[in-house]
């Protein structure tokens, strides 16, 4: 008998028979509550908060509950395959760590702890530009598991080029360019606390370790921490970036390039026509713009427009069943964001691994009970409620 991800629950029940109860919560909501009790209120606001009155953030989550999976019986799903192929990499599961730019503020080693869980689970990490450890260290910590580097395109082209080339040299398997964060969205929780971690010098390791950034800093004549922060703030986002820039990005690297923040079929086609290799359908978990459309409702149109190109997805995934719903709608891989950050806050690396194993177990057992032996069989199984 092979192992299924659902077997994670057997170990928990066996421990219980010996009187050993789990030391971490078993569902996302309870983990979030525990994490909240352990987090600095400003960092909690930064992680938990969204744009405006957070309607889009709530809608992202609620939209999944309108999608039901049709159960099919007696189909012999004793062994489930959850493996996928992404840019030539055979991966054991369809889940990945979505980029989170504040892991190093949640715990000092948050980026490296996430990378260690990536190594342990064989689950790719999309490493954020905004990390407390340089991208090279994060890549090393992820071991044999492929990883991707998420780039916030800076206003300085040579800095963008430097970061992309560093990611390539460090062994990343692709570049994810985030398009929806060249300016910070209106986030009342962060504004009320007047808190942006980067302005206190946190999570800027990739800039401070970069030759191009250091050269620009030296040209300013002051290299003290405050000057570095102000330089970062002036360079962080590129307000003039347009579709025409894709040709230049394409010329920088032979690695696959994925555009993150795409929700429109038209933008999907333009991205692929512009030489991009994949699409990352996401509305930044409702953090950046309120008044949006739940990302899961945008996914089918993006998948259709992508015409077989890989489509990564995140925003609002809070359970293994949510992940299955996104996969059933055609996502190639599904990113987990806030749930693993709460795992990190509540229990460090062990907490991250527990969250991801729990999500995988729930997805696997749901496939088993509903009679879906692999991810392909899920396609077309959803019914709108």
């Amino acid at each position: 008998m092979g192992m299924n991800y659902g077997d994670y629950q057997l170990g928990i029940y066996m421990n219980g028979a010996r009187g050993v109860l789990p030391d971490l919560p078993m569902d996302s909501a309870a983990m979030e509550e525990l994490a909240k009790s352990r987090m600095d209120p400003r960092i909690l606001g930064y992680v938990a908060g969204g744009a405006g009155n957070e309607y889009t953030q709530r809608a992202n989550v609620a939209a999944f509950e309108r999608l039901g999976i049709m159960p099919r019986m007696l189909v012999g799903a004793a062994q489930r395959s959850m493996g996928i192929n992404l840019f030539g990499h055979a991966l054991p599961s369809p889940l990945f760590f979505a980029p989170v730019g504040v892991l190093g503020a949640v715990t000092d080693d948050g980026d490296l702890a996430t990378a260690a869980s990536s190594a342990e689970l064989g689950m790719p990490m999309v490493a954020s530009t905004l990390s407390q450890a340089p991208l090279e260290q994060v890549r090393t910590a992820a071991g044999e598991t492929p990883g991707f580097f998420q780039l916030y395109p800076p206003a300085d082209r040579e800095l963008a080029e430097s970061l992309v080339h560093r990611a390539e040299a460090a062994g990343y398997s692709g570049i994810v360019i985030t398009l929806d964060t060249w300016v910070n969205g209106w986030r009342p929780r962060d504004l009320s606390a007047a808190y942006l971690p980067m302005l206190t010098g946190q999570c800027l390791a990739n800039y401070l370790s970069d030759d191009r950034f250091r050269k620009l800093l030296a040209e300013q004549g002051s290299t003290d921490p405050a000057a570095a922060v102000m330089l970062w703030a002036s360079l962080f986002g590129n307000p003039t970036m347009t579709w025409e820039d894709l040709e230049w990005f394409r010329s920088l690297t032979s690695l696959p390039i994925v555009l993150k923040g795409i929700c429109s079929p038209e933008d999907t086609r333009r991205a692929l026509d512009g030489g991009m290799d994949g699409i990352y359908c996401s509305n930044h978990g409702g953090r950046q713009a309120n008044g949006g459309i739940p990302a899961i409702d945008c996914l089918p149109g993006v998948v259709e427009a992508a015409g077989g190109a890989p489509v990564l997805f995140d925003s609002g995934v809070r359970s293994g069943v949510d992940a299955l719903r996104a996969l059933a709608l055609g996502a190639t891989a599904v990113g987990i964001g806030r749930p693993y950050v709460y795992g990190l806050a509540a229990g460090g690396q062990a907490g991250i691994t527990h969250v991801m194993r729990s999500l995988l177990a729930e997805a696997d057992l749901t496939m088993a009970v509903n009679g879906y032996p692999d991810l392909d069989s899920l396609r077309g199984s959803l019914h709108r409620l």
Side-chain angles (χ1 to χ4, degrees), residues 219-285:
E219 286 171 5
Q220 282 191 171
S222 173
T223 55
D224 69 12
V229 164
M230 291 320 294
L231 177 61
W232 169 79
S234 73
L235 292 175
F236 171 67
N238 180 359
T240 64
M241 190 171 158
T242 65
W243 292 105
E244 280 65 53
D245 290 304
L246 294 188
E247 187 178 358
W248 176 76
F249 270 111
R250 181 69 280 168
S251 74
L252 290 183
T253 180
S254 58
L255 290 177
I257 303 178
V258 176
L259 297 189
K260 178 172 183 279
I262 302 272
C263 291
S264 129
E266 185 183 355
D267 285 356
T268 299
R269 286 187 285 269
R270 288 192 78 164
L272 297 169
D273 288 346
M276 302 295 101
D277 301 279
I279 303 297
Y280 192 147
C281 176
S282 166
N283 63 18
H284 222 99

Side-chain angles (χ1 to χ4, degrees), residues 69-323:
I69 301 171
M70 176 65 78
R72 305 300 302 272
M73 295 299 116
L74 297 169
V75 294
Q79 291 300 122
R80 276 84 60 198
S81 164
M82 294 187 73
I84 63 164
N85 191 291
L86 184 62
F87 299 121
H89 299 278
L91 300 172
S93 92
L95 299 187
F96 66 92
F97 293 97
V100 176
V102 75
L103 296 173
V106 176
T107 65
D108 284 340
D109 68 341
D111 304 288
L112 299 175
T114 305
S117 281
S118 170
E120 185 182 357
L121 297 168
M123 200 179 278
M125 173 184 181
V126 182
S128 174
T129 303
L130 293 170
S131 62
Q132 194 73 347
L135 62 93
E136 292 83 1
Q137 284 181 26
V138 176
R139 182 64 230 130
T140 300
E144 300 296 302
T145 304
F148 298 84
F149 179 67
Q150 174 272 331
L151 175 72
Y152 289 111
D156 181 74
R157 268 197 166 188
E158 287 179 58
L159 180 56
E161 187 168 357
S162 178
L163 289 166
V164 168
H165 288 160
R166 282 173 63 191
E168 195 166 35
Y172 285 90
S173 296
I175 306 291
V176 172
I177 301 178
T178 296
L179 302 178
D180 60 13
T181 313
W182 56 270
V183 64
N184 271 314
W186 182 257
R187 298 201 293 260
R189 291 201 215 195
D190 295 340
L191 289 161
S192 300
Y195 178 65
L196 197 60
M198 285 65 73
L199 294 185
T200 58
Q202 289 179 288
C203 306
L204 296 181
N206 284 325
Y207 298 89
L208 300 174
S209 62
D210 194 272
D211 289 342
R212 172 61 180 169
F213 187 86
R214 291 207 291 241
K215 179 169 181 278
L216 291 169
L217 196 56
E219 286 171 5
Q220 282 191 171
S222 173
T223 55
D224 69 12
V229 164
M230 291 320 294
L231 177 61
W232 169 79
S234 73
L235 292 175
F236 171 67
N238 180 359
T240 64
M241 190 171 158
T242 65
W243 292 105
E244 280 65 53
D245 290 304
L246 294 188
E247 187 178 358
W248 176 76
F249 270 111
R250 181 69 280 168
S251 74
L252 290 183
T253 180
S254 58
L255 290 177
I257 303 178
V258 176
L259 297 189
K260 178 172 183 279
I262 302 272
C263 291
S264 129
E266 185 183 355
D267 285 356
T268 299
R269 286 187 285 269
R270 288 192 78 164
L272 297 169
D273 288 346
M276 302 295 101
D277 301 279
I279 303 297
Y280 192 147
C281 176
S282 166
N283 63 18
H284 222 99
R287 277 180 65 71
Q288 276 293 88
N290 200 28
I293 304 165
I296 193 70
D297 291 345
C298 299
L299 178 61
V302 167
V303 168
E304 187 182 4
V311 176
L312 283 61
F313 175 83
D314 75 21
S315 296
V317 179
R318 297 292 179 268
S319 68
V321 176
D322 289 347

Side-chain angles (χ1 to χ4, degrees), residues 1 3-7 9 69-82 320-321 324 359-375 377-378 381:
M1 285 293 289
M3 291 285 286
N4 291 310
Y5 284 115
D7 295 343
Q9 76 171 1
I69 301 171
M70 176 65 78
R72 305 300 302 272
M73 295 299 116
L74 297 169
V75 294
Q79 291 300 122
R80 276 84 60 198
S81 164
M82 294 187 73
V321 176
L324 293 185
L359 290 168
L360 276 177
E362 184 188 17
D364 179 43
L365 292 166
T366 304
M367 286 170 67
V369 172
N370 283 338
Y372 294 97
D374 55 36
L375 299 178
S377 62
L378 277 171
S381 65

